[in-house]
């Protein structure tokens, strides 16, 4: 019987390590186990299972650990040097399964050290300890010859070999402290490795608190953090300005506001904003936070929201200029093949308010936010224990534009044509609005599903989150007739993601009656929802889009009835015609700001529509002298193409008008009605 090792304990330990973000960053750190397995020819072979590059320890499962032939990897110990490219190719050819994910860039470290179980993590306390001037001395005092101190070096063959050689010379060593980087521990059993990681992180934390006893965090408050209400009032105006500035050299961006205690204390402290400019505390953060954040000077008690917006715009401009110079200044032969990232900041520090992060989508913005919380913890601890120091600019750049780190970025699936865009859909809980919300999300947009039916809107938003991921949709209650409710809806969307690029006005009703029997109530309801409602939403969104300064797309859902009179539907048809004309007027007004306003005219979209489940269906049937059941067939036969029109067909026209494919179209009408001759636009 051939022996086969079980890697369940490796998976369990990895998940445990990942569950504590003060020990292991999201997506960072790596673990391994050595043992026996059976190869393709049925032979027993020694392997090392190493975490795949970019996988997250917290959620990793067995397939996340490719098995690599250990004997072949260890042959490399005899070499003196090796380029990254050679190393990668060599490691790849050691994989037992050529379809397995690419192993961690720190694989050789795991292969070269003799222990069965190895953890490499980035605990806050260890990074802080190795980032202060007296760190090495302090570590020697606390750990003696139990820990080895390795000066900063970019991971790869040379670092792995240095560590292997040093450990062989110091038999009592139980852990490795990597300067400005992290920790390596090991054990013969999984539990031993795990306990050792926790032990060294705790001893490092204790050593730090001993030397920093009594000091106020980051010099204490420079400005008191403002209340939630004040912060929201500032951010509702300032975020679109920030987002617009960051959008200057990219297609889409999503913001996240961090108002946690840590973020507010750091941003509002005397030294936090300055310390933030020293640099990133961990190589693992760099591609998601950049070397340093944008830290602006701001006093929320003396300056207003417009002042904050101005400072953020100027701040992004200055930051982007710095980043372009940083790229040029530090360029090396190996980084030349990588184009510069968008130059704006990934993290913004606002005194009194908190931290704002920017990502290509909500998940990326959250990732940067989580990593920056770690940066705050490390920088605060190091500052208190004698002063934080970071990788130098050149060292940081060599990680940020390292081909092996760039590989992690390339792993992200390509975004759709609306990636990083923010859309607001009124009437999003059913019918055309719901189909539009789903379609825009499929194309990459983040969607606020607004509706008077809050529960149904929540169901649509939840469905989008399940399909597309964290923070990709929210639901917002709104009665579009109510000026304040519309303002609150737009504000909530802005506070969620930082701005708005696309709005679909789909909230609607319909009533029918001969004019002699049309009540004031019905007349008003149609005009309040369809005409005033479209006006209120467009007005508020125009304000945000103008502040953002990056154009936008406004889409009105009209009706065939906006172009030709519907039988016995004077209130509805005239309100729809008002909406259609409003779109033309707004197209002219929006033009100078790059805001496009277009109309989609559907007809007879019966399935899934809230309108058609009301009296409208019955009265239409009476008006056309057919039974309710025959109504779909009636509409189909009435159309030129003899087709039924679905909400999804209308959503396709909306998606076209929302995105770059229609970037030179405004003031247009697209009919999605199967062809109704009388309603051909002219
Ligand atoms: Zn590392």
């Amino acid at each position: 019987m051939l022996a086969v090792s079980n890697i369940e304990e490796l998976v369990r330990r990895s998940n445990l390590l990942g569950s504590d973000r003060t020990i292991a960053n999201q997506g960072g750190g790596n673990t391994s186990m050595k043992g026996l397995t059976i190869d393709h020819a049925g032979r027993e072979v020694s392997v090392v299972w190493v975490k795949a590059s970019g996988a997250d320890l917290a959620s990793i499962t067995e397939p996340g650990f490719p098995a690599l032939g250990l004997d072949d990897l260890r042959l490399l110990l005899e070499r003196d040097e090796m380029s990254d490219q050679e190393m990668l190719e060599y490691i790849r050819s050691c994989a037992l399964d050529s379809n397995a994910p690419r192993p961690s860039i720190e694989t050789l470290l795991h292969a070269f050290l003799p222990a069965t179980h190895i953890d490499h993590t980035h605990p806050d306390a260890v990074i802080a300890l190795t980032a202060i001037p007296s760190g090495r001395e302090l570590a020697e005092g606390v750990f003696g010859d139990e820990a080895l101190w390795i000066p900063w070096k970019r991971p790869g063959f040379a670092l792995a070999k240095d560590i292997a050689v040093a450990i062989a010379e110091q038999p009592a060593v139980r852990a490795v402290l990597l300067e400005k980087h992290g920790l390596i521990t090991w054990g013969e059993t999984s539990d031993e490795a795990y306990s050792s990681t926790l032990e060294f992180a705790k001893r490092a934390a204790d050593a730090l608190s001993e030397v920093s006893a009594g000091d106020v965090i980051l010099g204490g408050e420079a400005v008191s953090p403002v209340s939630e209400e004040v912060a929201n009032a500032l951010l509702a105006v300032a975020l679109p300005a920030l987002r617009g500035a960051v959008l200057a050299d990219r297609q889409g961006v999503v913001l996240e506001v961090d108002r946690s205690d840590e973020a507010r204390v750091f941003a509002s402290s005397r030294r936090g904003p300055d310390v933030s400019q020293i640099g990133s505390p961990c190589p693992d953060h760099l591609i998601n936070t950049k070397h340093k954040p944008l830290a602006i000077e701001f006093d929320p008690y003396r300056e207003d929201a417009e002042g904050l917006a101005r400072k953020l715009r100027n701040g992004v401009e200055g930051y982007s200029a710095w980043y372009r110079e940083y790229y040029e200044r530090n360029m090396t032969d190996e980084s030349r093949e990588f184009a510069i990232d968008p130059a704006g900041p990934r993290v913004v520090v606002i005194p009194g308010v908190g931290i704002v992060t920017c990502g290509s989508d909500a998940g990326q913005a959250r990732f940067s936010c989580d990593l920056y919380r770690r940066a705050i913890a490390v920088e605060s601890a190091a500052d208190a224990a004698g002063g934080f120091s970071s990788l130098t600019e050149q060292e940081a750049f060599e990680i940020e534009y390292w081909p092996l780190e760039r590989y992690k970025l390339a792993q992200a699936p390509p975004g759709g044509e609306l990636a990083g865009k923010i859309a607001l859909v009124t009437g999003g809980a059913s019918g055309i609005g719901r189909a539009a919300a789903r379609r825009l999300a499929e194309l990459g947009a983040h969607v606020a599903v607004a509706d008077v039916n809050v529960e149904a809107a929540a169901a649509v938003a939840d469905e989008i989150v399940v399909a597309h991921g964290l923070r990709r949709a929210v639901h917002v209650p709104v009665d579009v007739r109510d000026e304040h409710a519309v303002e609150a809806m737009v504000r909530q969307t802005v506070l969620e993601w930082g701005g708005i690029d696309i709005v679909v006005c789909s909230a609607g009703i319909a009533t029918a009656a001969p004019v002699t029997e049309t009540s004031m109530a019905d007349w008003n309801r149609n005009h309040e929802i369809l005409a005033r409602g479209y006006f209120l939403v467009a007005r508020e969104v125009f304000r945000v889009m103008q502040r953002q300064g990056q154009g936008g797309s406004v889409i009105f859902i009209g009706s065939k009835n906006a172009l030709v009179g519907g039988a016995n539907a004077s209130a509805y048809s005239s309100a729809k015609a008002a909406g259609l004309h409003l779109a033309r007027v707004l197209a002219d007004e929006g033009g100078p700001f790059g805001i496009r306003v277009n109309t989609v005219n559907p007809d007879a979209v019966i399935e899934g529509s809230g309108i058609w489940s009301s009296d409208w269906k019955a009265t239409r049937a009476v008006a056309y002298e057919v039974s309710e059941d025959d109504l779909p067939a009636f509409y189909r036969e009435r159309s030129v193409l003899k087709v039924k029109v679905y909400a999804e067909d209308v959503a396709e026209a909306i998606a076209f008008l929302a995105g770059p494919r229609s970037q030179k179209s405004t003031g247009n009408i697209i009919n999605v009605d199967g062809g109704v001759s009388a309603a051909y636009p002219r």
Side-chain angles (χ1 to χ4, degrees), residues 63-299:
F65 290 96
L68 308 163
L70 190 56
D71 297 341
D72 284 358
L73 287 173
R74 284 209 169 133
L75 286 177
L76 295 180
L77 271 169
E78 284 157 29
R79 296 220 194 170
D80 292 325
E81 55 183 39
M82 195 172 200
S83 74
D84 289 338
Q85 199 48 40
E86 270 182 286
M87 175 181 82
L88 283 185
E89 279 162 22
Y90 192 100
I91 291 174
R92 200 173 299 142
S93 50
C94 294
L96 263 64
D97 173 0
S98 54
N99 293 320
R102 175 159 152 170
S104 161
I105 54 187
E106 279 152 330
T107 290
L108 291 187
L109 187 78
H110 293 271
F112 289 173
L113 304 197
T116 305
H117 292 270
I118 297 175
D119 293 342
H120 165 49
T121 53
H122 308 114
D124 295 346
V126 174
I127 305 176
L129 179 70
T130 61
I132 58 175
S134 61
R136 187 159 190 170
E137 205 181 315
L138 200 58
E140 271 161 10
V142 176
F143 301 117
D145 58 5
E146 285 178 273
L148 195 66
W149 178 284
I150 300 283
W152 165 256
K153 186 177 259 185
R154 193 170 75 176
F157 173 81
L159 178 66
K161 184 152 180 194
D162 284 359
I163 294 170
V165 169
I167 287 178
E169 287 168 0
Q170 195 173 317
V173 73
R174 296 176 50 224
V176 176
L177 306 173
L178 298 169
E179 188 184 45
K180 300 175 195 170
H181 178 173
L183 175 69
I184 306 168
T185 58
W186 51 87
E188 277 322 299
T189 66
S190 191
D191 285 348
E192 221 175 285
Y194 180 65
S195 323
S196 193
T197 298
L198 298 193
E199 178 200 324
F200 279 87
K202 169 139 196 339
R203 286 165 74 186
D206 291 347
L208 286 173
S209 43
E210 209 160 291
V211 290
S212 52
D215 197 5
V216 205
I217 298 174
L218 297 160
E221 249 176 33
V223 56
S224 301
V226 297
S227 68
E228 201 65 20
E229 200 187 332
V230 173
N232 286 347
L234 290 168
L235 291 168
V237 171
L239 290 182
L242 169 62
R243 181 167 181 269
V246 172
L247 274 171
D249 62 352
R250 55 196 300 177
Q251 285 302 310
V253 75
V254 172
L255 310 186
E256 171 147 12
V257 177
D258 185 358
R259 295 253 310 140
S260 64
D261 285 349
E262 304 101 290
R264 279 180 299 154
V265 166
F266 183 82
S268 310
S269 66
R270 282 180 208 285
R271 286 202 296 272
D274 288 341
V275 171
S276 77
Q277 298 304 296
I278 295 170
S280 167
C282 179
D284 223 49
H285 297 184
L286 275 162
I287 51 171
N288 290 295
T289 61
K290 291 191 172 166
H291 185 46
K292 58 185 187 183
L294 163 63
I296 60 159
E297 279 176 27
F298 177 68
D299 182 343

